[in-house]
Coordinates of all heavy atoms in Angstrom, one line a residue:
M25 N -23.5 84.9 113.5 CA -23.9 83.5 113.5 C -23.5 82.7 112.3 O -23.1 81.6 112.4 CB -25.4 83.5 113.7 CG -25.9 82.1 114.1 SD -25.3 81.7 115.7 CE -26.0 80.1 116.0
T26 N -23.5 83.4 111.2 CA -23.1 82.7 109.9 C -21.6 82.3 109.9 O -21.2 81.3 109.3 CB -23.4 83.5 108.7 OG1 -22.8 84.8 108.8 CG2 -24.9 83.7 108.6
E27 N -20.8 83.1 110.6 CA -19.4 82.8 110.7 C -19.1 81.8 111.8 O -18.2 81.0 111.6 CB -18.6 84.1 111.1 CG -18.6 85.1 109.9 CD -17.8 86.3 110.2 OE1 -17.1 86.4 111.2 OE2 -18.0 87.3 109.5
L28 N -19.9 81.8 112.9 CA -19.7 80.8 114.0 C -20.2 79.4 113.6 O -19.6 78.4 114.0 CB -20.4 81.2 115.2 CG -19.9 82.5 115.9 CD1 -20.8 82.9 117.1 CD2 -18.5 82.3 116.4
R29 N -21.3 79.3 112.8 CA -21.9 78.0 112.4 C -22.2 78.1 110.9 O -23.4 78.1 110.6 CB -23.1 77.7 113.3 CG -22.7 77.6 114.8 CD -23.7 77.0 115.6 NE -24.0 75.7 115.2 CZ -25.0 75.0 115.6 NH1 -25.9 75.5 116.4 NH2 -25.2 73.7 115.2
P30 N -21.3 78.0 110.1 CA -21.6 78.1 108.6 C -22.3 76.9 108.1 O -22.9 76.9 107.0 CB -20.2 78.3 108.0 CG -19.2 77.7 109.0 CD -19.8 78.0 110.3
E31 N -22.3 75.8 108.9 CA -23.0 74.6 108.5 C -24.5 74.6 108.8 O -25.2 73.7 108.5 CB -22.3 73.4 109.2 CG -22.6 73.2 110.6 CD -21.9 74.1 111.6 OE1 -21.0 74.9 111.2 OE2 -22.2 74.0 112.8
D32 N -24.9 75.7 109.5 CA -26.3 75.8 109.9 C -27.0 76.9 109.1 O -26.7 78.0 109.2 CB -26.4 76.1 111.4 CG -27.8 76.1 112.0 OD1 -28.7 75.9 111.2 OD2 -27.9 76.3 113.2
P33 N -28.0 76.5 108.3 CA -28.7 77.4 107.4 C -29.6 78.4 108.2 O -29.9 79.5 107.6 CB -29.6 76.5 106.5 CG -29.9 75.3 107.3 CD -28.6 75.1 108.1
H34 N -29.9 78.2 109.4 CA -30.8 79.1 110.2 C -30.2 80.5 110.3 O -30.9 81.5 110.3 CB -31.1 78.5 111.6 CG -31.9 77.2 111.5 ND1 -31.3 76.0 111.6 CD2 -33.2 77.0 111.3 CE1 -32.3 75.0 111.4 NE2 -33.4 75.6 111.2
G35 N -28.9 80.5 110.6 CA -28.2 81.8 110.7 C -28.3 82.6 109.4 O -28.5 83.8 109.5
F36 N -28.2 82.0 108.3 CA -28.3 82.7 107.0 C -29.7 83.1 106.8 O -29.9 84.2 106.2 CB -27.8 81.8 105.9 CG -26.4 81.4 105.9 CD1 -25.9 80.2 106.4 CD2 -25.4 82.4 105.4 CE1 -24.6 79.9 106.5 CE2 -24.1 82.1 105.5 CZ -23.6 80.8 106.0
R37 N -30.7 82.3 107.2 CA -32.1 82.7 107.0 C -32.4 83.9 107.9 O -33.0 84.9 107.5 CB -33.0 81.6 107.3 CG -34.5 82.0 107.1 CD -35.5 80.9 107.2 NE -36.8 81.4 107.0 CZ -37.6 81.7 108.0 NH1 -37.3 81.5 109.2 NH2 -38.8 82.2 107.7
D38 N -31.9 83.8 109.2 CA -32.1 84.9 110.1 C -31.5 86.2 109.6 O -32.1 87.3 109.7 CB -31.5 84.6 111.5 CG -32.3 83.5 112.2 OD1 -33.4 83.2 111.8 OD2 -31.7 82.9 113.1
Y39 N -30.3 86.1 109.0 CA -29.6 87.3 108.4 C -30.5 87.8 107.3 O -30.6 89.0 107.1 CB -28.2 86.9 108.0 CG -27.4 88.0 107.5 CD1 -27.5 89.3 108.0 CD2 -26.5 87.8 106.5 CE1 -26.7 90.3 107.6 CE2 -25.7 88.9 106.0 CZ -25.8 90.1 106.6 OH -25.0 91.1 106.1
G40 N -31.0 86.9 106.4 CA -31.9 87.3 105.3 C -33.1 88.1 105.8 O -33.5 89.1 105.2
Q41 N -33.7 87.6 106.9 CA -34.8 88.3 107.5 C -34.5 89.7 108.0 O -35.2 90.7 107.8 CB -35.4 87.5 108.6 CG -36.1 86.3 108.2 CD -36.6 85.4 109.3 OE1 -35.9 85.2 110.3 NE2 -37.9 85.0 109.2
A42 N -33.3 89.8 108.6 CA -32.9 91.2 109.1 C -32.6 92.1 107.9 O -33.0 93.3 107.9 CB -31.6 91.0 109.9
L43 N -32.0 91.6 106.9 CA -31.8 92.4 105.6 C -33.1 92.8 105.0 O -33.2 94.0 104.6 CB -30.9 91.6 104.6 CG -29.5 91.4 105.0 CD1 -28.8 90.3 104.2 CD2 -28.7 92.7 105.0
E44 N -34.0 91.9 105.0 CA -35.4 92.2 104.4 C -36.0 93.3 105.2 O -36.6 94.3 104.6 CB -36.2 91.0 104.3 CG -37.6 91.2 103.6 CD -38.4 89.9 103.6 OE1 -38.0 88.8 104.0 OE2 -39.5 90.0 103.1
Q45 N -36.0 93.2 106.5 CA -36.7 94.2 107.3 C -36.0 95.6 107.2 O -36.6 96.6 107.3 CB -36.7 93.8 108.8 CG -37.6 92.6 109.0 CD -37.6 92.1 110.4 OE1 -36.8 92.6 111.3 NE2 -38.3 91.0 110.7
A46 N -34.7 95.5 106.9 CA -33.9 96.8 106.7 C -34.1 97.4 105.3 O -33.5 98.4 105.0 CB -32.4 96.5 107.0
G47 N -34.9 96.7 104.5 CA -35.1 97.1 103.1 C -34.0 96.8 102.1 O -34.0 97.2 100.9
Q48 N -33.1 95.9 102.5 CA -32.0 95.5 101.6 C -32.4 94.2 100.9 O -31.9 93.1 101.2 CB -30.7 95.3 102.4 CG -30.2 96.6 103.0 CD -28.9 96.5 103.7 OE1 -28.1 95.7 103.4 NE2 -28.7 97.2 104.8
L49 N -33.4 94.3 100.0 CA -34.0 93.1 99.4 C -33.1 92.3 98.6 O -33.2 91.1 98.6 CB -35.2 93.6 98.6 CG -36.3 94.3 99.4 CD1 -37.5 94.6 98.5 CD2 -36.8 93.4 100.6
T50 N -32.2 92.9 97.8 CA -31.3 92.2 97.0 C -30.3 91.3 97.8 O -30.1 90.1 97.5 CB -30.4 93.1 96.1 OG1 -31.3 93.9 95.3 CG2 -29.6 92.3 95.1
K51 N -29.8 91.8 98.9 CA -29.0 91.1 99.8 C -29.8 90.0 100.5 O -29.3 88.9 100.7 CB -28.3 92.0 100.8 CG -27.2 92.9 100.2 CD -26.6 93.7 101.3 CE -25.5 94.6 100.6 NZ -24.9 95.5 101.6
A52 N -31.0 90.3 100.9 CA -31.9 89.3 101.5 C -32.1 88.1 100.6 O -32.1 87.0 100.9 CB -33.2 89.9 102.0
L53 N -32.4 88.5 99.3 CA -32.6 87.4 98.3 C -31.4 86.5 98.2 O -31.6 85.3 98.1 CB -32.9 88.1 96.9 CG -33.3 87.2 95.8 CD1 -34.8 87.0 95.9 CD2 -33.0 87.8 94.5
D54 N -30.2 87.0 98.2 CA -29.0 86.2 98.2 C -28.9 85.3 99.4 O -28.6 84.1 99.2 CB -27.8 87.1 98.2 CG -27.6 87.9 96.9 OD1 -28.2 87.4 95.8 OD2 -26.8 88.9 96.9
M55 N -29.3 85.7 100.6 CA -29.3 84.9 101.7 C -30.3 83.7 101.6 O -30.0 82.6 101.9 CB -29.5 85.7 103.0 CG -28.3 86.5 103.5 SD -26.9 85.6 103.9 CE -25.8 86.1 102.5
Y56 N -31.5 84.1 101.2 CA -32.6 83.1 101.1 C -32.2 82.1 100.0 O -32.5 80.9 100.2 CB -33.9 83.8 100.7 CG -34.5 84.6 101.9 CD1 -35.2 85.8 101.6 CD2 -34.3 84.3 103.2 CE1 -35.7 86.6 102.6 CE2 -34.8 85.1 104.2 CZ -35.5 86.2 103.9 OH -36.0 87.0 104.9
R57 N -31.6 82.5 98.9 CA -31.2 81.6 97.9 C -30.1 80.7 98.4 O -30.2 79.5 98.1 CB -30.7 82.4 96.7 CG -30.5 81.6 95.4 CD -30.1 82.3 94.2 NE -29.7 83.7 94.4 CZ -30.0 84.7 93.6 NH1 -30.7 84.5 92.6 NH2 -29.6 85.9 93.9
K58 N -29.2 81.2 99.2 CA -28.2 80.3 99.8 C -28.8 79.2 100.6 O -28.4 78.0 100.5 CB -27.2 81.2 100.6 CG -26.1 80.4 101.2 CD -25.2 81.3 102.0 CE -24.0 80.6 102.6 NZ -23.0 80.2 101.6
V59 N -29.8 79.5 101.4 CA -30.5 78.6 102.3 C -31.3 77.6 101.4 O -31.2 76.4 101.6 CB -31.3 79.2 103.3 CG1 -32.1 78.2 104.1 CG2 -30.5 80.1 104.2
A60 N -32.1 78.1 100.5 CA -33.0 77.3 99.7 C -32.3 76.3 98.8 O -32.8 75.2 98.6 CB -33.9 78.2 98.9
F61 N -31.1 76.7 98.3 CA -30.5 75.8 97.3 C -29.1 75.3 97.8 O -28.4 74.7 97.0 CB -30.4 76.5 96.0 CG -31.7 76.9 95.4 CD1 -32.1 78.2 95.4 CD2 -32.6 75.9 95.0 CE1 -33.3 78.6 94.9 CE2 -33.9 76.3 94.5 CZ -34.2 77.6 94.5
G62 N -28.8 75.6 99.0 CA -27.5 75.1 99.6 C -27.4 73.6 99.9 O -28.5 72.9 99.9
D63 N -26.2 73.1 100.1 CA -26.0 71.7 100.4 C -25.9 71.6 101.9 O -24.9 71.6 102.5 CB -24.7 71.3 99.7 CG -24.5 69.8 99.8 OD1 -25.5 69.0 100.0 OD2 -23.3 69.3 99.8
W64 N -27.1 71.4 102.5 CA -27.2 71.3 104.0 C -27.4 69.8 104.4 O -27.8 69.0 103.6 CB -28.3 72.1 104.5 CG -28.3 73.6 104.0 CD1 -29.1 74.1 103.1 CD2 -27.3 74.6 104.4 NE1 -28.7 75.4 102.8 CE2 -27.6 75.7 103.6 CE3 -26.3 74.6 105.3 CZ2 -26.9 76.9 103.8 CZ3 -25.6 75.8 105.4 CH2 -25.9 76.9 104.7
D65 N -27.3 69.6 105.7 CA -27.6 68.2 106.2 C -29.0 67.9 105.9 O -29.9 68.7 106.0 CB -27.3 68.3 107.8 CG -27.5 67.0 108.4 OD1 -28.6 66.4 108.4 OD2 -26.5 66.5 109.0
S66 N -29.3 66.6 105.6 CA -30.6 66.2 105.2 C -31.7 66.4 106.3 O -32.8 66.5 106.0 CB -30.6 64.7 104.8 OG -30.2 63.9 105.9
R67 N -31.2 66.5 107.5 CA -32.2 66.8 108.6 C -32.8 68.2 108.5 O -33.9 68.4 109.1 CB -31.5 66.8 110.0 CG -30.9 65.5 110.4 CD -30.1 65.7 111.8 NE -29.0 66.6 111.6 CZ -28.8 67.7 112.4 NH1 -29.7 68.1 113.3 NH2 -27.8 68.5 112.2
L68 N -32.2 69.0 107.7 CA -32.7 70.4 107.6 C -33.5 70.7 106.4 O -33.6 71.9 106.0 CB -31.4 71.4 107.7 CG -30.6 71.1 109.0 CD1 -29.3 71.9 108.8 CD2 -31.3 71.5 110.2
W69 N -34.1 69.7 105.8 CA -34.8 69.9 104.5 C -36.0 70.9 104.7 O -36.3 71.7 103.8 CB -35.3 68.6 104.0 CG -36.4 68.0 104.8 CD1 -36.2 67.1 105.8 CD2 -37.8 68.2 104.7 NE1 -37.4 66.8 106.4 CE2 -38.4 67.5 105.8 CE3 -38.6 69.0 104.0 CZ2 -39.8 67.5 106.0 CZ3 -40.0 69.0 104.2 CH2 -40.5 68.3 105.2
G70 N -36.6 71.0 105.9 CA -37.7 71.9 106.1 C -37.3 73.3 106.0 O -38.0 74.2 105.6
T71 N -36.1 73.6 106.5 CA -35.5 75.0 106.4 C -35.4 75.4 105.0 O -35.7 76.6 104.7 CB -34.2 75.0 107.1 OG1 -34.3 74.5 108.5 CG2 -33.6 76.4 107.2
K72 N -35.0 74.5 104.1 CA -34.9 74.9 102.7 C -36.3 75.2 102.1 O -36.4 76.2 101.4 CB -34.4 73.7 101.9 CG -32.9 73.4 102.2 CD -32.4 72.2 101.5 CE -31.9 72.6 100.2 NZ -31.1 71.5 99.5
Q73 N -37.3 74.5 102.5 CA -38.7 74.8 102.1 C -39.2 76.2 102.5 O -39.8 76.9 101.8 CB -39.7 73.7 102.5 CG -39.3 72.3 102.0 CD -39.3 72.2 100.5 OE1 -38.4 72.8 99.9 NE2 -40.3 71.6 100.0
V74 N -38.9 76.5 103.8 CA -39.3 77.8 104.3 C -38.5 78.9 103.6 O -39.1 80.0 103.2 CB -39.1 77.9 105.8 CG1 -39.3 79.3 106.4 CG2 -40.0 76.9 106.6
A75 N -37.2 78.7 103.3 CA -36.4 79.7 102.6 C -36.9 79.9 101.2 O -36.8 81.0 100.7 CB -35.0 79.3 102.6
K76 N -37.5 78.9 100.6 CA -38.0 79.0 99.2 C -39.2 80.0 99.3 O -39.5 80.8 98.4 CB -38.4 77.7 98.6 CG -37.2 76.9 98.2 CD -37.5 75.5 97.6 CE -36.3 74.8 97.3 NZ -36.5 73.4 96.8
E77 N -40.0 79.9 100.3 CA -41.1 80.8 100.5 C -40.6 82.2 100.7 O -41.2 83.2 100.1 CB -42.0 80.4 101.7 CG -42.9 79.3 101.4 CD -44.0 79.6 100.3 OE1 -44.6 80.7 100.4 OE2 -44.2 78.8 99.4
D78 N -39.6 82.4 101.5 CA -39.0 83.7 101.8 C -38.4 84.3 100.4 O -38.6 85.4 100.1 CB -37.8 83.6 102.7 CG -38.2 83.2 104.1 OD1 -39.4 83.5 104.5 OD2 -37.4 82.6 104.8
L79 N -37.8 83.4 99.7 CA -37.2 83.8 98.4 C -38.3 84.3 97.4 O -38.2 85.3 96.8 CB -36.5 82.6 97.8 CG -35.8 82.7 96.5 CD1 -34.7 83.8 96.6 CD2 -35.2 81.4 96.1
R80 N -39.4 83.5 97.4 CA -40.6 83.9 96.6 C -41.1 85.3 96.9 O -41.4 86.1 96.1 CB -41.7 82.9 96.6 CG -42.8 83.1 95.7 CD -44.1 82.5 96.2 NE -44.6 83.0 97.5 CZ -45.1 84.2 97.7 NH1 -45.3 85.1 96.7 NH2 -45.5 84.5 98.9
R81 N -41.3 85.5 98.2 CA -41.8 86.8 98.7 C -40.9 87.9 98.4 O -41.4 89.0 97.9 CB -42.0 86.7 100.2 CG -42.7 87.9 100.9 CD -42.7 87.8 102.4 NE -41.4 87.8 103.0 CZ -40.9 86.7 103.6 NH1 -41.7 85.6 103.6 NH2 -39.7 86.6 104.1
V82 N -39.6 87.8 98.6 CA -38.7 88.9 98.3 C -38.6 89.1 96.8 O -38.5 90.3 96.3 CB -37.3 88.6 98.9 CG1 -36.3 89.7 98.4 CG2 -37.4 88.7 100.4
A83 N -38.6 88.1 96.0 CA -38.5 88.2 94.5 C -39.8 89.0 94.0 O -39.7 89.9 93.2 CB -38.4 86.9 93.9
A84 N -40.9 88.7 94.6 CA -42.2 89.4 94.2 C -42.1 90.9 94.6 O -42.5 91.7 93.8 CB -43.4 88.7 94.9
K85 N -41.5 91.2 95.8 CA -41.3 92.6 96.2 C -40.4 93.3 95.2 O -40.7 94.4 94.8 CB -40.7 92.7 97.6 CG -41.7 92.3 98.7 CD -41.0 92.5 100.0 CE -41.9 92.1 101.2 NZ -41.2 92.2 102.5
L86 N -39.3 92.7 94.8 CA -38.4 93.3 93.9 C -39.0 93.5 92.5 O -38.8 94.5 91.9 CB -37.1 92.4 93.8 CG -36.1 92.5 94.9 CD1 -35.1 91.4 94.8 CD2 -35.5 93.9 95.0
M87 N -39.8 92.5 92.1 CA -40.4 92.7 90.8 C -41.5 93.8 90.7 O -41.7 94.3 89.7 CB -41.0 91.3 90.3 CG -40.0 90.3 89.9 SD -40.7 88.8 89.4 CE -41.7 89.3 88.0
A88 N -42.0 94.1 91.9 CA -43.0 95.1 92.0 C -42.4 96.5 91.8 O -43.1 97.5 91.6 CB -43.8 95.0 93.3
R89 N -41.1 96.6 92.0 CA -40.5 97.9 91.9 C -40.5 98.4 90.4 O -40.4 97.7 89.5 CB -39.0 97.9 92.3 CG -38.8 97.6 93.8 CD -37.4 97.7 94.1 NE -37.2 97.7 95.6 CZ -36.0 97.6 96.2 NH1 -34.9 97.5 95.5 NH2 -36.0 97.6 97.5
K90 N -40.7 99.7 90.3 CA -40.9 100.3 88.9 C -39.6 100.4 88.2 O -39.5 100.4 87.0 CB -41.6 101.7 89.0 CG -43.0 101.6 89.5 CD -43.6 102.9 89.5 CE -44.9 103.0 90.2 NZ -46.0 102.2 89.9
N91 N -38.5 100.6 88.9 CA -37.2 100.9 88.3 C -36.3 99.6 88.0 O -35.2 99.7 87.8 CB -36.4 101.8 89.1 CG -36.1 101.3 90.5 OD1 -36.7 100.3 91.0 ND2 -35.1 101.9 91.2
I92 N -37.0 98.4 88.0 CA -36.2 97.2 87.8 C -36.1 96.9 86.3 O -37.0 97.1 85.5 CB -36.9 96.0 88.5 CG1 -36.0 94.8 88.5 CG2 -38.3 95.7 87.9 CD1 -36.5 93.7 89.4
S93 N -34.9 96.5 85.9 CA -34.6 96.3 84.5 C -35.3 95.0 84.0 O -35.5 94.1 84.8 CB -33.1 96.2 84.3 OG -32.6 94.9 84.7
P94 N -35.7 94.9 82.8 CA -36.4 93.7 82.2 C -35.5 92.5 82.4 O -36.1 91.4 82.6 CB -36.6 94.1 80.8 CG -36.6 95.6 80.7 CD -35.7 96.0 81.8
S95 N -34.2 92.6 82.3 CA -33.4 91.4 82.4 C -33.4 90.8 83.8 O -33.4 89.6 84.0 CB -31.9 91.7 81.9 OG -31.3 92.6 82.8
I96 N -33.3 91.7 84.8 CA -33.4 91.3 86.2 C -34.8 90.7 86.5 O -34.9 89.7 87.2 CB -33.1 92.5 87.1 CG1 -31.7 93.0 86.9 CG2 -33.3 92.1 88.6 CD1 -30.6 92.1 87.3
K97 N -35.8 91.3 85.9 CA -37.2 90.9 86.1 C -37.3 89.4 85.6 O -37.9 88.6 86.3 CB -38.2 91.8 85.4 CG -39.6 91.7 86.0 CD -40.4 92.9 85.4 CE -41.6 93.0 86.3 NZ -42.4 94.2 85.9
R98 N -36.7 89.1 84.5 CA -36.8 87.8 83.9 C -36.1 86.8 84.8 O -36.5 85.6 85.0 CB -36.2 87.7 82.5 CG -37.1 88.2 81.4 CD -36.6 87.9 80.1 NE -35.3 88.5 79.8 CZ -35.1 89.7 79.3 NH1 -36.1 90.5 79.1 NH2 -33.9 90.2 79.1
K99 N -35.0 87.2 85.4 CA -34.2 86.3 86.3 C -35.0 86.0 87.6 O -34.9 85.0 88.2 CB -32.9 86.9 86.7 CG -31.9 86.9 85.5 CD -30.6 87.5 85.9 CE -29.7 87.6 84.7 NZ -28.4 88.2 85.0
L100 N -35.8 87.0 88.1 CA -36.5 86.9 89.3 C -37.8 86.1 89.1 O -38.4 85.5 90.1 CB -36.8 88.2 89.9 CG -35.7 89.0 90.5 CD1 -36.1 90.4 90.9 CD2 -35.0 88.3 91.6
Q101 N -38.4 86.1 87.9 CA -39.7 85.6 87.7 C -39.9 84.1 88.1 O -40.9 83.9 88.8 CB -40.0 85.7 86.2 CG -41.5 85.8 85.9 CD -41.7 86.3 84.5 OE1 -40.9 86.3 83.6 NE2 -42.9 86.8 84.3
P102 N -38.9 83.2 87.9 CA -39.1 81.9 88.4 C -39.3 81.8 89.9 O -40.0 80.9 90.4 CB -37.9 81.1 87.9 CG -37.3 81.9 86.8 CD -37.7 83.3 87.1
Y103 N -38.6 82.7 90.6 CA -38.7 82.7 92.1 C -40.0 83.2 92.6 O -40.4 82.9 93.7 CB -37.5 83.4 92.7 CG -36.2 82.9 92.4 CD1 -35.2 83.7 91.8 CD2 -35.8 81.6 92.7 CE1 -33.9 83.2 91.5 CE2 -34.6 81.1 92.4 CZ -33.6 81.9 91.8 OH -32.4 81.4 91.5
A104 N -40.6 84.2 91.9 CA -41.7 84.9 92.4 C -43.1 84.2 92.1 O -44.1 84.6 92.6 CB -41.8 86.3 91.7
K105 N -43.0 83.1 91.4 CA -44.3 82.3 91.2 C -44.7 81.4 92.3 O -43.9 80.8 93.0 CB -44.1 81.5 89.9 CG -44.0 82.3 88.6 CD -43.9 81.4 87.4 CE -43.8 82.3 86.2 NZ -43.6 81.5 85.0
G106 N -46.0 81.3 92.5 CA -46.6 80.3 93.5 C -46.3 80.8 94.9 O -45.9 81.9 95.2
G107 N -46.5 79.8 95.8 CA -46.3 80.1 97.2 C -47.5 80.6 97.9 O -48.4 81.1 97.4
H108 N -47.4 80.4 99.2 CA -48.5 80.9 100.1 C -47.8 81.4 101.4 O -47.3 80.6 102.1 CB -49.5 79.7 100.5 CG -49.9 78.9 99.3 ND1 -50.7 79.3 98.3 CD2 -49.5 77.6 99.0 CE1 -50.8 78.4 97.4 NE2 -50.2 77.3 97.8
D109 N -47.9 82.6 101.6 CA -47.2 83.2 102.8 C -48.2 83.9 103.7 O -47.8 84.8 104.4 CB -46.0 84.1 102.4 CG -46.4 85.3 101.7 OD1 -47.6 85.4 101.3 OD2 -45.6 86.1 101.4
K110 N -49.4 83.4 103.7 CA -50.4 84.0 104.7 C -50.0 83.6 106.1 O -50.0 84.4 107.0 CB -51.8 83.5 104.4 CG -52.3 83.9 103.0 CD -52.7 85.4 103.0 CE -53.2 85.7 101.6 NZ -53.2 87.1 101.3
I111 N -49.7 82.3 106.3 CA -49.3 81.8 107.6 C -48.1 80.9 107.4 O -48.2 80.0 106.6 CB -50.4 81.0 108.3 CG1 -51.6 81.9 108.6 CG2 -49.9 80.4 109.6 CD1 -52.8 81.2 109.1
V112 N -47.1 81.1 108.2 CA -45.9 80.2 108.1 C -45.7 79.7 109.6 O -45.6 80.5 110.5 CB -44.6 80.9 107.6 CG1 -43.5 80.0 107.7 CG2 -44.9 81.4 106.2
V113 N -45.7 78.4 109.7 CA -45.5 77.8 111.0 C -44.1 77.1 111.0 O -43.9 76.3 110.1 CB -46.6 76.8 111.4 CG1 -46.3 76.1 112.7 CG2 -47.9 77.4 111.4
T114 N -43.3 77.4 111.9 CA -42.0 76.8 112.0 C -41.8 76.1 113.3 O -42.1 76.6 114.3 CB -40.8 77.8 111.8 OG1 -41.1 78.6 110.6 CG2 -39.5 77.2 111.8
I115 N -41.4 74.8 113.2 CA -41.2 74.0 114.4 C -39.7 73.6 114.5 O -39.2 73.2 113.5 CB -42.1 72.7 114.4 CG1 -43.5 73.1 114.4 CG2 -41.7 71.9 115.7 CD1 -44.5 71.9 114.2
S116 N -39.1 73.8 115.6 CA -37.7 73.6 115.7 C -37.4 72.8 117.0 O -38.1 73.0 118.0 CB -36.9 74.9 115.7 OG -35.6 74.7 115.9
W117 N -36.4 72.0 117.1 CA -35.9 71.4 118.3 C -34.4 71.3 118.3 O -33.8 71.4 117.2 CB -36.6 70.0 118.5 CG -36.2 69.0 117.4 CD1 -35.2 68.2 117.3 CD2 -36.9 68.9 116.1 NE1 -35.2 67.5 116.1 CE2 -36.2 67.9 115.4 CE3 -38.0 69.5 115.6 CZ2 -36.7 67.5 114.1 CZ3 -38.4 69.1 114.3 CH2 -37.8 68.1 113.6
D118 N -33.9 71.1 119.4 CA -32.4 71.2 119.6 C -31.8 69.8 120.0 O -31.2 69.7 121.0 CB -32.1 72.3 120.6 CG -30.6 72.6 120.6 OD1 -29.9 72.3 119.6 OD2 -30.1 73.2 121.6
T119 N -32.0 68.9 119.1 CA -31.5 67.5 119.4 C -31.4 66.7 118.1 O -32.1 67.0 117.2 CB -32.4 66.8 120.4 OG1 -31.7 65.5 120.7 CG2 -33.8 66.5 119.9
D120 N -30.5 65.8 118.1 CA -30.4 64.9 116.9 C -31.1 63.6 117.1 O -31.1 62.7 116.2 CB -28.9 64.7 116.6 CG -28.2 65.9 116.1 OD1 -28.9 66.7 115.4 OD2 -27.0 66.0 116.2
N121 N -31.7 63.4 118.3 CA -32.3 62.1 118.6 C -33.8 62.1 118.2 O -34.5 63.0 118.4 CB -32.2 61.8 120.1 CG -30.7 61.7 120.5 OD1 -29.8 61.7 119.6 ND2 -30.4 61.6 121.7

């Protein structure tokens, strides 16, 4: 999906979710970061907000690992702060009108 519609952040977020579920947290973090801080159409601002929550959750998971280096931990720290991921509601529609 990311190759077919590179202008759509949803494919990158979906890929990030698949990577996260497969335990590939570093790669998932990269996908979420791409969505959260990418230059997307202004209509898609909500997707960036959701991706920032995803980014926060994965950064916190990575920081909880015992074998993480202090330098990597410092880089992840800003992403791991704050957020509320108890319930996430996503509303989507397929029209520009």
Side-chain angles (χ1 to χ4, degrees):
M25 192 65 179
T26 59
E27 291 179 15
L28 293 174
R29 299 195 60 195
E31 74 284 354
D32 186 355
H34 295 98
F36 293 99
R37 180 170 180 262
D38 292 346
Y39 185 36
Q41 289 176 313
L43 290 166
E44 183 179 357
Q45 290 175 3
Q48 297 182 34
L49 299 182
T50 305
K51 290 181 181 180
L53 188 82
D54 290 339
M55 287 297 112
Y56 293 145
R57 189 173 16 217
K58 181 177 184 70
V59 176
F61 301 109
D63 186 25
W64 308 106
D65 186 295
S66 61
R67 297 176 295 123
L68 304 170
W69 67 269
T71 303
K72 292 175 90 167
Q73 300 300 70
V74 172
K76 286 179 183 177
E77 284 292 316
D78 295 330
L79 183 60
R80 186 206 59 75
R81 183 184 61 252
V82 171
K85 285 180 183 179
L86 284 168
M87 287 182 61
R89 290 184 172 175
K90 294 185 191 306
N91 61 344
I92 190 167
S93 74
S95 64
I96 298 295
K97 202 169 197 172
R98 279 193 301 277
K99 289 179 183 178
L100 291 173
Q101 208 162 17
Y103 299 125
K105 292 182 178 177
H108 314 293
D109 63 355
K110 298 286 183 198
I111 298 175
V112 175
V113 177
T114 305
I115 299 173
S116 179
W117 61 92
D118 192 18
T119 182
D120 288 333
N121 301 352

